[in-house]
Amino acid sequence: PTLLSKYSMLNKIKALTPAGLSHCRDGGCRVTAPPSALILKGESLSGAAKAADCIIIEAEGERLAITIVELKSKSVKTRSVVEKLENSTQHIIAIVQEAAAGKKVKIELRHAAVASSWKTQDYASIAESRVYFNGKRYPIVPGRCGSSVLALRERIPPK
């Protein structure tokens, strides 16, 4: 597939999801994303299930870079963050597979928890936690409100 077909994939994903967002923000916390990124509200994809605040999808060369972000302006509860990231992962991968219509799509999947301030034990707990999906363990990178998704992604090894 070419970059053009990846943008086509973004359009297909957009057609299968509620309206995209212009920014990734919840309360006083936000993450910046490139203008070409598709930003989705996790809760709008998951129905009643707990979900992450934002799913940021970018077409990069031959792949889709998907970063799932939970924003915290108050306390950080690790178990809740992991649950939201896992639920959102399941939902967005199902949507990508539907949009791909049987074609193979390369995906780089990353997860982040972003907070306005961190207690040392919460930061360590998030950094040690993993999101489990399809038999793989994905790290969660802790970050600060105001971070760019690109800076967060650089800190997370792709899987």
Side-chain angles (χ1 to χ4, degrees):
T2 64
L3 183 59
L4 183 60
S5 68
K6 290 302 177 188
Y7 280 112
S8 174
M9 264 302 282
L10 286 180
N11 287 332
K12 289 178 184 177
I13 293 167
K14 207 182 283 189
L16 292 170
T17 58
L21 303 171
S22 60
H23 57 274
C24 178
R25 180 183 316 208
D26 187 43
C29 191
R30 72 183 193 114
V31 168
T32 60
S36 60
L38 173 61
I39 304 171
L40 303 172
K41 184 104 175 115
E43 287 94 352
S44 66
L45 303 181
S46 65
K50 291 183 177 182
D53 291 300
C54 301
I55 300 169
I56 301 169
I57 307 172
E58 300 166 86
E60 290 188 340
E62 301 296 314
R63 68 188 186 282
L64 289 178
I66 300 174
T67 307
I68 302 171
V69 181
E70 175 62 10
L71 303 169
K72 304 305 292 179
S73 54
K74 296 182 181 148
S75 66
V76 177
K77 294 182 175 68
T78 302
R79 189 174 302 154
S80 174
V81 169
V82 171
E83 179 184 8
K84 289 176 178 185
L85 293 172
E86 286 177 344
N87 288 342
S88 295
T89 299
Q90 292 171 1
H91 289 288
I92 194 58
I93 295 302
I95 290 167
V96 168
Q97 289 172 339
E98 184 178 345
K103 294 179 184 169
K104 187 167 175 86
V105 178
K106 291 181 187 176
I107 297 172
E108 280 191 6
L109 187 58
R110 294 180 170 120
H111 301 84
V114 178
S116 51
S117 65
W118 286 96
K119 293 180 183 170
T120 304
Q121 68 269 21
D122 292 338
Y123 188 96
S125 179
I126 288 291
E128 292 168 3
S129 296
R130 299 291 180 263
V131 169
Y132 294 93
F133 179 73
N134 277 353
K136 290 185 181 177
R137 295 169 28 121
Y138 295 89
I140 304 169
V141 68
R144 289 211 178 266
C145 294
S147 299
S148 77
V149 71
L150 298 175
L152 291 170
R153 283 186 32 224
E154 286 175 359
R155 295 177 43 214
I156 310 169
K159 287 225 178 192

